[in-house]
Amino acid sequence: MSFFEEIGRRTLLTLDAEKAHELGVRALQTGAVGSGKVKDTDRLRVDLAGLSFPNPLGIAAGFDKNAEVPDPLLRRGMGFSEVGTVTPRPQDGNPRPRIFRIPEKKAVINRLGFNNDGPDIVHGRLSKRAARAGIVGVNIGANKDSADFVADYVAGIHRFADVAHYFTVNISSPNTPGLRDLQAADALKVLLTNVTAANDEAALHLQLDPRPIFLKIAPDISDKDIEEIASVVLDSGISGVIVSNTTISRKGVEGHSNADETGGLSGAPLFDASTVVLAKMRRALGPDLPIIGVGGITDGASALKKIRAGAQLLQVYTGLIYRGFDLIDEVKTVLDLAVRKEKLKSVADLSGLDTDQILETCSA
């Protein structure tokens, strides 16, 4: 990180969290954030779900809600970018303030509530960059006041099928009342049946291949929930799972300023819980179905542990707040070194090597 980038990052941390984020997006738009410093190698390439990712590290949904900076993020070294969450109608989200830092724990609590500019604006921005290189996924959700959550996800598939490289079906935000109920087996079957049908219909209409679909789940689920979700996912034919969204738990931040704020907790305190759920989901899904690991990645070592727990791809967000964009370079360097050290061909070959060990440790 340059001297000026470090000064900028430290300055942003002194500002209101949401205002700081908005300024960070502006910095990316204006080119104040440069290109990545670590080149992608064949060892970092991951091929899955019909897509070829130049490296396994992507930006999680929530950072670029309105598709304003996918290309600057890709230039900075991300292997892919995910925009959204986008709902069928524009939505203001919850009243401000709605993002709260817990710096001493490298954590954030947010209750944004799917605030976004709406599908027309987001689609317009993605259309303008459609011919450019780089994988950009669209995270779709439901409006807070929707009478039919399933219909909202179907609408999202149809609206973005021509510009999304993949879809994320986000049913795990804690900030939309009732949304997480869609993780229950019967509700999830109905949702994924309708979403995959919409994906096929849109692909046929556009004369394109159906887009890969990933399901984003919460970390606050039981072992029984994991088994049931895995069973539904495997039967549905979707491409994979993202583990995990933010948590409603406050483990690891108890007694700290802002810890009692309502919303989802992200950052370092989420790492252990989300990684255990990831390993359990890997065991339940078997070795092949892709998993994107997200939650608490703050350095190269934590990124490597997510991969070895069973993820093939990774996403970060909160870690960037506290580490800056140099986190991208560190993660890629550590993963590349791990592949060489293990004398493997690709980072994908590291996936799942420690799944059993993690599960044994958490059950001990």
Side-chain angles (χ1 to χ4, degrees):
M1 182 183 296
S2 72
F3 172 76
F4 292 106
E5 285 180 334
E6 175 63 13
I7 292 297
R9 185 185 67 83
R10 289 179 180 273
T11 299
L12 289 177
L13 286 173
T14 68
L15 303 176
D16 167 79
E18 191 160 359
K19 182 63 176 177
H21 175 75
E22 291 165 356
L23 290 173
V25 171
R26 297 290 87 76
L28 284 159
Q29 287 179 315
T30 59
V33 177
S35 300
K37 301 168 186 175
V38 177
K39 291 184 178 180
D40 294 325
T41 66
D42 287 341
R43 290 181 294 272
L44 290 176
R45 183 170 298 279
V46 177
D47 296 320
L48 58 79
L51 299 171
S52 185
F53 298 81
N55 72 71
L57 185 64
I59 189 75
F63 184 95
D64 189 16
K65 283 179 173 289
N66 296 306
E68 296 176 280
V69 289
D71 290 296
L73 286 165
L74 294 171
R75 284 195 297 271
R76 186 54 187 83
M78 290 292 185
F80 61 106
S81 180
E82 184 170 309
V83 305
T85 300
V86 189
T87 53
R89 287 174 284 109
Q91 189 162 269
D92 291 333
N94 292 317
R96 299 192 187 202
R98 52 193 180 179
I99 306 178
F100 308 90
R101 300 190 196 99
I102 308 177
E104 59 272 27
K105 290 295 183 178
K106 294 185 174 63
V108 167
I109 292 171
N110 93 81
R111 52 171 179 265
L112 287 163
F114 285 173
N115 56 305
N116 69 100
D117 290 343
D120 292 344
I121 290 176
V122 174
H123 186 275
R125 289 174 179 148
L126 292 177
S127 295
K128 290 177 181 177
R129 61 90 49 205
R132 299 174 191 166
I135 296 171
V136 179
V138 178
N139 185 300
I140 55 175
N143 283 110
K144 184 176 182 178
D145 60 353
S146 175
D148 188 342
F149 282 174
V150 172
D152 281 12
Y153 289 98
V154 168
I157 295 287
H158 282 292
R159 188 68 180 96
F160 290 102
D162 62 329
V163 293
H165 289 95
Y166 71 86
F167 285 108
T168 293
V169 176
N170 185 358
I171 60 170
S172 48
S173 169
N175 299 318
T176 298
L179 192 72
R180 286 189 170 191
D181 294 344
L182 291 174
Q183 293 178 131
D186 289 343
L188 186 58
K189 288 177 187 176
V190 172
L191 173 66
L192 294 185
T193 296
N194 281 271
V195 164
T196 53
N199 196 34
D200 290 340
E201 291 167 7
L204 182 63
H205 175 72
L206 296 167
Q207 295 186 327
L208 298 169
D209 291 332
R211 300 312 194 195
I213 295 173
F214 292 86
L215 177 72
K216 189 167 186 176
I217 64 170
D220 311 302
I221 53 177
S222 67
D223 290 353
K224 180 174 180 289
D225 294 330
I226 291 170
E227 294 293 335
E228 290 180 349
I229 290 170
S231 178
V232 174
V233 164
L234 290 169
D235 287 343
S236 73
I238 67 169
S239 296
V241 179
I242 300 180
V243 185
S244 68
N245 213 315
T246 58
T247 179
I248 57 174
S249 169
R250 294 297 181 263
K251 184 177 179 180
V253 299
E254 304 95 327
H256 287 272
S257 178
N258 291 328
D260 292 333
E261 293 288 348
T262 301
L265 174 71
S266 62
L270 176 58
F271 180 79
D272 287 342
S274 63
T275 304
V276 168
V277 172
L278 191 162
K280 290 179 177 179
M281 185 58 71
R282 170 52 67 212
R283 180 179 61 186
L285 289 172
D288 298 325
L289 198 79
I291 294 178
I292 301 175
V294 56
I297 295 173
T298 56
D299 54 22
S302 53
L304 178 58
K305 188 169 182 178
K306 289 277 191 192
I307 294 283
R308 296 181 70 99
Q312 284 96 344
L313 298 173
L314 305 169
Q315 289 179 326
V316 293
Y317 179 176
T318 303
L320 295 177
I321 295 172
Y322 294 105
R323 288 290 315 280
F325 289 106
D326 276 0
L327 176 61
I328 303 170
D329 302 318
E330 179 183 333
V331 167
K332 290 164 66 172
T333 298
V334 169
L335 294 181
D336 189 274
L337 179 62
V339 175
R340 286 186 281 140
K341 185 177 179 181
E342 297 275 358
K343 295 182 170 57
L344 299 172
K345 183 178 180 181
S346 165
V347 66
D349 298 324
L350 292 168
S351 178
L353 291 182
D354 292 346
T355 302
D356 292 340
Q357 178 183 335
I358 290 170
L359 294 177
E360 287 171 6
T361 300
C362 76
S363 62

